[in-house]
């Protein structure tokens, strides 16, 4: 009952924000980049809200439950990504871009083919990520609120279309800020209750170690049973992927200047680091201490109710009863809404600003482009709902890997070379980008996760689940080799973004 | 500040934060590290906690570097 009340309160609040944002968003710059009037601190909170998905909040809790200490890579690698973002990308991105990654890509190499590639790549990455989030959302919401999967996915899809079509980036930003604040409060309450109930850190870890057979092994390495190659590829995929995810990168266009862009990353790092610290050091062992073996959370078959991803929600129930369960459920729901809103805005702006404007081949008015943006947001919601319902019973974890792998192998090398390598040519950029896109998709399909577990073959064609260690360096090599072999475009001098 | 220095810092941070979680234990075959505790908390958890806690400092230093870089760009202009 409390969970349903929190759910309704969240929907009403976010719709009110959307109506408020809709009144303040009139021009293209408002819808795409909130008029570049968001402060660095607000944007930092929004980046944190945009990055920490349901996978972070719920999925990693479940992973810690079975793999223990080895999940550290999932908490540490994104921080390295944020550091690189601060050092290499944040300020130049703000300086060269205006609305989309395509603006940045074509700032030096003024070739519209590059803008089209950037638009397609942005839509592909965002759609992979969107479907993965929506399938997760459907499962989670149907478990939490007793709705059917289809109803849950339709609710999420309709809400995200309304947020973006009516309120644009301003609405998405505030939904993400609210989510980040709720997440910090929710995780903070969980952490305090875990420590209070267990009598401090020592009591918590003793209780966790004593909760079941072989649990102390979870505090030793080897839980993920991965090789160095696989682990390194996963880590690099997360680091480089973060710097190629369009929905995170376009957030830098919402601040007024480069100093605020840098401040954004610092604030995001502090928020993400704090939430990760509580999740890894306290909530993870808390799940073992209070949920593992607790008959209240076991089904008739002896397995956990709702599956491993529900550990964090069960922990909330164990510590704070129905009230805390409702709060954590609302946090999880807001998490989903914030991430899908960010993804939708990235894909819709790429469709209207990069693809429609370029492929139409004649000047379009700002009003016309905004209508394409709104229609794209609605179409994306429709496509997302359709694919999610179609794939609801499939293992879609690979879609998340696919989004990160494509972002790391296609977007990241291009972005770095556009910003830092003066000899990059259009041919080199296109060759490297297309190579990164195709090779990362091909190796994901050939990986054990898809080739063996989803397609049912005996052995995988490629030994690891994550291709970034191979594909990202090769994409750099292809970009640079082709650039050196081709003549530099005469129009490749730096120009301000349009 | 030269781009080369930024790149070196970036490579060090990526190496630290992606390789250490894997290497802390396995290749050294040092399970004792994981069995020891500090105030009841496994050393491995303390270690990750330290990395998470010190990261804002690394980020702050990076921010200073990026700011110095931006200022020197402005000076050149």
């Amino acid at each position: 009952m409390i969970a349903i009340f929190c759910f309704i309160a969240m929907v009403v609040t976010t719709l009110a924000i959307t109506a408020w944002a809709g009144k303040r968003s009139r021009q293209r710059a408002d819808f795409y980049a909130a008029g570049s009037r968001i402060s660095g601190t607000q944007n930092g909170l929004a980046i944190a809200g945009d990055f920490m998905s349901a996978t972070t909040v719920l999925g990693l809790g479940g992973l810690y439950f079975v793999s223990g200490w080895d999940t550290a890579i999932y908490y540490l690698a994104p921080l390295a990504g944020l550091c690189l973002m601060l050092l290499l990308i944040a300020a130049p991105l703000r300086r060269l871009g205006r609305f989309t990654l395509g603006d940045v890509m074509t700032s030096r190499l003024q070739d519209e083919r590059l803008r089209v590639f950037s638009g397609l790549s942005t839509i592909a990455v965002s759609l992979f990520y969107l479907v993965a989030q929506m399938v997760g959302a459907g499962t989670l919401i149907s478990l939490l609120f007793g709705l059917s999967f289809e109803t849950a996915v339709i609710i999420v899809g309709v809400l995200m279309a309304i947020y973006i079509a009516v309120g644009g980036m301003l609405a998405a930003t505030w939904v993400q800020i609210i989510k980040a604040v709720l997440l910090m409060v929710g995780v903070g309450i969980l952490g305090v209750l875990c420590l209070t109930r267990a009598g401090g850190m020592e009591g918590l870890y003793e209780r966790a170690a004593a909760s079941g057979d072989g649990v102390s092994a979870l505090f030793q390495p080897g839980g993920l049973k991965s090789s160095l190659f696989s682990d390194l590829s996963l880590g690099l995929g997360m680091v480089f992927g973060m710097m190629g995810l369009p929905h995170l990168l376009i957030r830098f266009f919402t601040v007024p200047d480069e100093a605020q862009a840098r401040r954004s990353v610092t604030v995001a790092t502090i928020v993400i680091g704090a939430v990760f610290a509580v999740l890894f050091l306290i909530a993870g062992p808390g799940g073992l201490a209070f949920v593992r073996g607790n008959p209240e959370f076991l089904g008739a078959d002896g397995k956990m109710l709702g599956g491993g991803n529900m550990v964090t929600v069960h922990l909330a129930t164990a510590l704070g009863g129905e009230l805390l369960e409702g709060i954590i459920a609302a946090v999880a729901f807001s998490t989903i809404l914030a991430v899908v809103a960010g993804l939708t805005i990235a894909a819709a702006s790429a469709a209207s600003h990069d693809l429609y404007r370029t492929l139409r081949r004649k000047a379009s008015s700002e009003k016309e482009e905004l209508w394409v943006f709104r229609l794209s947001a609605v179409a994306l919601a429709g496509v997302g709902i359709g694919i999610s319902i179609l794939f609801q019973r499939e293992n879609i974890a690979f879609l998340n890997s696919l989004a990160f792998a494509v972002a790391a192998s296609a977007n990241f090398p291009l972005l770095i070379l556009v910003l830092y390598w003066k000899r990059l040519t259009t041919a080199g950029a296109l060759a490297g980008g297309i190579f990164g896109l195709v090779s990362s998709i091909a190796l994901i399909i050939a990986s054990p996760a898809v080739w063996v577990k989803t397609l049912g073959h005996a052995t995988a064609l490629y030994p690891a689940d994550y291709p970034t260690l191979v594909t990202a360096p090769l994409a750099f090599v292809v970009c640079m080799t082709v650039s050196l072999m081709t003549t530099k475009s005469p129009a490749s001098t730096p120009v301000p973004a349009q | 500040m030269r781009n080369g220095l930024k790149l070196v810092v970036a490579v060090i941070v990526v190496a630290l934060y992606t390789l250490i979680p894997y290497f802390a234990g396995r290749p050294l075959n040092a399970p004792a590290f994981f069995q020891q505790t500090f105030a009841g908390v496994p050393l491995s958890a303390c270690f990750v906690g330290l990395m998470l806690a010190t990261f804002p400092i690394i980020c702050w230093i990076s921010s200073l570097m990026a700011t110095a870089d931006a200022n020197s760009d402005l000076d050149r202009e």
Side-chain angles (χ1 to χ4, degrees):
Chain A
M1 191 64 192
I2 291 173
I4 293 171
F5 172 76
C6 292
F7 171 86
I8 293 169
M10 177 60 59
V11 171
V12 171
T13 307
T14 50
L15 286 177
I17 288 170
T18 304
W20 167 81
K23 284 180 189 164
R24 279 156 183 77
S25 299
R26 288 279 173 267
Q27 297 176 329
R28 194 175 53 165
D30 298 325
F31 275 89
Y32 289 154
S36 298
R37 289 189 297 266
I38 304 294
S39 75
T41 305
Q42 290 168 341
N43 196 40
L45 284 168
I47 289 174
D50 217 356
F51 172 69
M52 290 187 285
S53 64
T55 312
T56 312
V57 182
L58 302 175
L60 289 185
L63 198 60
Y64 190 101
F65 202 74
V66 292
S67 302
W69 193 86
D70 257 17
T71 51
I73 185 85
Y74 288 94
Y75 294 95
L76 293 175
L79 296 185
L82 283 164
C83 184
L84 261 66
M85 205 180 251
L86 176 62
L87 268 177
L88 303 174
I89 285 185
L93 207 66
R94 179 65 197 93
R95 185 166 64 240
L96 294 173
R98 194 174 168 199
F99 300 140
T100 63
L101 274 190
D103 289 341
V104 182
M105 299 287 189
T106 54
S107 61
R108 193 155 66 82
L109 301 164
Q110 290 177 296
D111 192 308
E112 293 303 311
R113 288 173 299 171
L114 206 53
R115 184 182 284 280
V116 172
F117 172 78
S118 172
L120 289 174
S121 168
T122 297
I123 291 172
V125 171
S126 303
L127 199 58
F128 293 147
Y129 210 101
L130 184 70
V131 172
Q133 291 291 321
M134 286 184 78
V135 172
T139 311
L140 179 74
I141 293 170
S142 56
L143 278 169
L144 288 176
F145 306 109
L147 300 170
S148 71
F149 179 90
E150 288 79 3
T151 311
V153 166
I154 290 170
I155 289 173
V156 173
V158 168
L159 282 174
M160 83 185 201
I162 293 172
Y163 293 154
I164 305 308
V166 176
M169 181 59 102
L170 190 58
T173 300
W174 280 101
V175 170
Q176 287 159 353
I177 290 173
I178 287 176
K179 169 264 183 86
V181 173
L182 279 177
L183 187 59
M184 283 192 288
V185 172
V187 167
I189 292 172
L190 262 188
V192 170
L193 285 178
C194 269
L195 292 177
T196 313
R197 191 72 72 85
M201 287 291 265
E202 185 176 355
L204 179 68
Y205 277 85
E206 275 174 6
R207 195 166 173 165
S211 67
D213 293 338
V215 166
S216 56
L218 291 175
F219 299 138
Q220 295 187 18
L224 284 179
K225 296 179 178 60
S226 57
S227 64
L228 175 60
F229 179 86
S230 189
D231 221 41
L232 194 56
S233 203
L234 165 66
L236 285 185
M238 293 178 79
V239 174
F240 295 164
M242 266 195 93
M243 290 194 293
L245 286 175
H247 71 289
L248 292 182
L249 297 176
I250 62 168
R251 290 232 48 92
F252 292 111
F253 305 139
T254 64
V255 293
D257 54 41
E258 295 169 47
Q260 294 299 317
R262 285 192 295 272
R263 176 187 277 266
S264 307
V265 189
T266 309
V267 172
T269 306
I270 292 167
V271 173
I272 293 172
V275 171
F276 277 10
V278 177
L279 284 176
F280 184 81
L281 297 173
I282 301 173
L288 295 172
F290 297 104
V291 178
R292 191 180 177 95
N294 189 336
E296 194 185 337
F297 307 116
L298 296 177
D301 56 357
K303 291 181 179 171
M304 186 177 295
L305 287 172
N309 287 342
M310 294 296 283
V311 171
T312 311
V313 178
H314 291 331
L315 176 63
T317 315
L319 294 172
E322 202 187 346
L323 177 64
L324 190 58
E325 183 194 10
I327 292 171
I328 294 297
V331 168
F333 182 60
S334 70
T335 296
I336 292 160
L337 290 182
V339 176
V340 296
L343 291 164
T344 309
I345 209 158
S349 57
S352 59
H353 189 64
D354 292 336
L355 296 184
Y356 178 76
R357 252 178 20 130
T358 310
L359 298 176
R360 193 168 177 264
R361 293 187 180 280
K362 63 178 183 181
S364 54
S365 69
E366 197 172 307
K367 195 175 172 186
E368 192 181 332
E369 195 180 315
L370 270 181
W371 272 109
V372 176
F373 171 80
R374 290 188 182 105
L375 288 174
S376 302
V378 175
L380 274 163
V383 171
I385 290 169
I387 299 178
S388 305
I389 291 174
L390 209 62
F391 282 81
Q392 61 175 297
R393 296 192 200 291
E394 299 294 325
N395 175 9
I396 47 81
F398 72 91
L399 283 175
N400 249 334
S401 315
L402 204 53
F404 267 86
V406 172
S409 310
N411 290 353
F412 168 69
L414 243 68
L415 197 56
I416 289 293
L417 291 175
V418 162
L419 296 177
Y420 289 100
W421 197 52
K422 289 178 181 171
R423 299 180 72 177
L424 182 71
T425 64
T426 302
L430 282 172
I434 292 168
F435 174 84
L437 183 71
V438 173
S439 63
S440 54
I441 291 175
L443 288 190
I444 287 271
I445 292 172
S447 70
V450 179
W451 197 253
V452 177
K453 290 178 191 163
T454 307
L455 299 177
H457 294 281
T459 51
L461 301 173
Y462 176 72
D465 283 337
Y466 308 97
T468 311
L469 190 57
V470 173
T471 52
L474 279 180
F476 271 106
V477 170
V478 171
C479 268
M480 297 172 88
T481 308
V482 176
S483 293
L484 292 174
M485 288 165 59
T486 52
T487 315
K488 198 174 174 186
S489 163
S492 59
T493 48
V495 289
Q498 17 179 340
Chain B
M1 199 168 296
R2 309 309 305 164
N3 289 333
L5 183 56
K6 285 201 286 185
L7 199 64
V8 170
V9 173
V11 169
I12 291 171
V13 171
V14 171
L16 278 175
Y17 278 75
T18 54
L19 283 176
I20 281 184
Y22 183 86
F23 273 113
R26 284 190 187 84
L28 303 174
N29 193 19
F33 175 75
F34 293 91
Q35 284 164 4
Q36 289 169 14
T37 59
F38 175 74
V41 180
L43 274 187
S44 52
C46 295
F47 185 62
V48 175
L50 190 69
M51 290 182 82
L52 286 166
T54 52
F55 198 78
I57 298 170
I58 295 175
C59 192
W60 177 66
I61 294 168
S62 305
S63 179
L64 288 182
M65 285 174 68
T67 309
D69 198 26
N71 289 341
S72 66
D73 282 348
L74 288 174
D75 291 344
R76 278 198 295 278
E77 282 171 20

